[in-house]
Amino acid sequence: MPARPVIVRLTADMRSESRRLRVAFLGLGRMGTPMARHVLKAGHDLTVWNRTRGKADALAADGATVAPMPAAAARGRDVVVLMLADPEAVEQVLLGPDGVASGAEPDTLVVDGSTIGPDASRRMATRLREHRLRYVDAPVYGSVGPATEGTLGVLAGGEEADVAAARPLLELWGDPEKVRHVGPVGAGSAAKLVRNLTLGLALAGIGDALRLAATLDLPPDVVGELIAAGPLGAAFPPVRQILASGPPEAAGFTVDMLTKDLRLCLAAEPRLPLVDAARKVGEAAHAAGHGQDDTRALPRWMRDAS
């Protein structure tokens, strides 16, 4: 019978670049793939898993090991990173048959970069503690460009020692100045929802402004100047670029992703009438075939929708 792997408890003093971590990265979508590449580039031992095998094979060409299931990916790892679509996917990958909990050794640190909401994050932490696993919720903000550049923002929730232990990895895909420990488990997910709530409202507000301006026959250059100089100006430059040149071929943060986050906001607090209105806009865009469009294109769709 083969010897069980020796697992070294990951602690905050393991920040040295010479410390080679054994990392599993589960979920290789638009964001997960460039994030995982940073782990490889830093010289860590990386095992990957993805529901669609082809995305994992692309990283294997760069030196990653591909695991057939989450349990196998987590076995013998110091850290398991998740970057998945929603709470249901996270629960299945962590706790389902052949999930992380059935393969990871005690004291393995689970770092969840998914946006699943604070209640789900706290539930995952509780369930993982039953398996003697540690958990940090560390959702990211930014899109594919910052993920590729390693300049994402990271909002981490968890025990201080666990967040400190995760920081060497978080700072691979996140700008160190924007990697923040915001509170206990669940606080990272809560902070991410608050941030994306403001994004959803800003984009919906710009869309309404563009539609009203078009109805009133205002010149586009005047409208652009007014919005850029107003309260929603910070969200307008990428929208203006899409108005001029059309949506990017590859969406960074999709309308469906934003709509999912707005639903999570409403699940946490139903008394958010503006968020509910923005959620309905996202669902209408999805119904019209624009759910996989970049969120920056949402105001243009609102302007032009019949």
Side-chain angles (χ1 to χ4, degrees), residues 2-301:
R4 289 166 67 84
V6 177
I7 302 298
V8 179
R9 181 179 175 88
L10 182 65
T11 57
D13 61 359
M14 294 178 178
R15 296 189 187 183
S16 167
E17 292 182 3
S18 63
R19 165 64 179 167
R20 189 168 187 254
L21 298 174
R22 294 166 295 183
V23 181
F25 205 108
L26 314 181
L28 301 171
R30 294 180 180 89
M31 302 290 285
T33 293
M35 291 165 64
R37 287 193 189 283
H38 290 300
V39 178
L40 275 176
K41 290 177 183 176
H44 300 298
D45 179 1
L46 181 65
T47 296
V48 295
W49 172 86
N50 193 69
R51 204 173 300 275
T52 304
R53 170 79 186 220
K55 294 180 179 179
D57 288 340
L59 282 167
D62 294 330
T65 299
V66 178
M69 298 297 290
R75 192 167 293 119
R77 303 287 92 184
D78 301 307
V79 188
V80 176
V81 182
L82 276 67
M83 197 65 188
L84 301 169
D86 52 41
E88 293 76 20
V90 169
E91 184 165 10
Q92 179 69 18
V93 168
L94 286 178
L95 300 165
D98 292 314
V100 168
S102 65
E105 300 290 331
D107 275 336
T108 300
L109 178 62
V110 175
V111 177
D112 190 359
S114 319
T115 301
I116 62 173
D119 287 345
S121 292
R122 288 189 287 264
R123 186 169 68 252
M124 292 304 102
T126 298
R127 295 286 305 278
L128 290 177
R129 277 196 296 271
E130 297 170 1
H131 297 270
R132 293 195 291 162
L133 303 177
R134 297 180 290 155
Y135 179 87
V136 168
D137 61 307
V140 302
Y141 61 90
S143 60
V144 174
T148 303
E149 296 161 2
T151 58
L152 291 165
V154 183
L155 300 165
E159 296 289 337
E160 185 172 348
D162 292 341
V163 174
R167 187 173 285 272
L169 288 178
L170 302 180
E171 291 184 356
L172 292 178
W173 52 78
D175 179 341
E177 296 298 318
K178 296 193 293 185
V179 176
R180 299 188 58 190
H181 181 195
V182 294
V185 166
S189 296
K192 174 66 181 295
L193 291 187
V194 170
R195 188 183 189 281
N196 277 10
L197 177 156
T198 64
L199 174 63
L201 296 185
L203 293 173
I206 291 170
D208 273 357
L210 292 175
R211 189 174 183 96
L212 176 62
T215 300
L216 298 177
D217 294 324
L218 285 175
D221 58 334
V222 172
V223 176
E225 290 172 8
L226 290 171
I227 297 175
L232 300 178
F236 188 63
V239 174
R240 171 181 264 164
Q241 182 180 6
I242 284 178
L243 291 172
S245 60
E249 291 184 7
F253 184 48
T254 68
V255 171
D256 282 348
M257 290 176 175
L258 177 60
T259 306
K260 179 265 294 184
D261 290 353
L262 296 178
R263 291 194 194 101
L264 289 173
C265 292
L266 291 164
E269 173 51 81
R271 298 166 297 179
L272 301 172
L274 297 182
V275 174
D276 193 39
R279 186 262 309 170
K280 290 176 181 175
V281 169
E283 290 177 350
H286 173 89
H290 296 281
Q292 291 302 302
D293 288 357
D294 194 284
T295 51
R296 294 170 291 173
L298 184 62
R300 188 173 77 164
W301 175 80

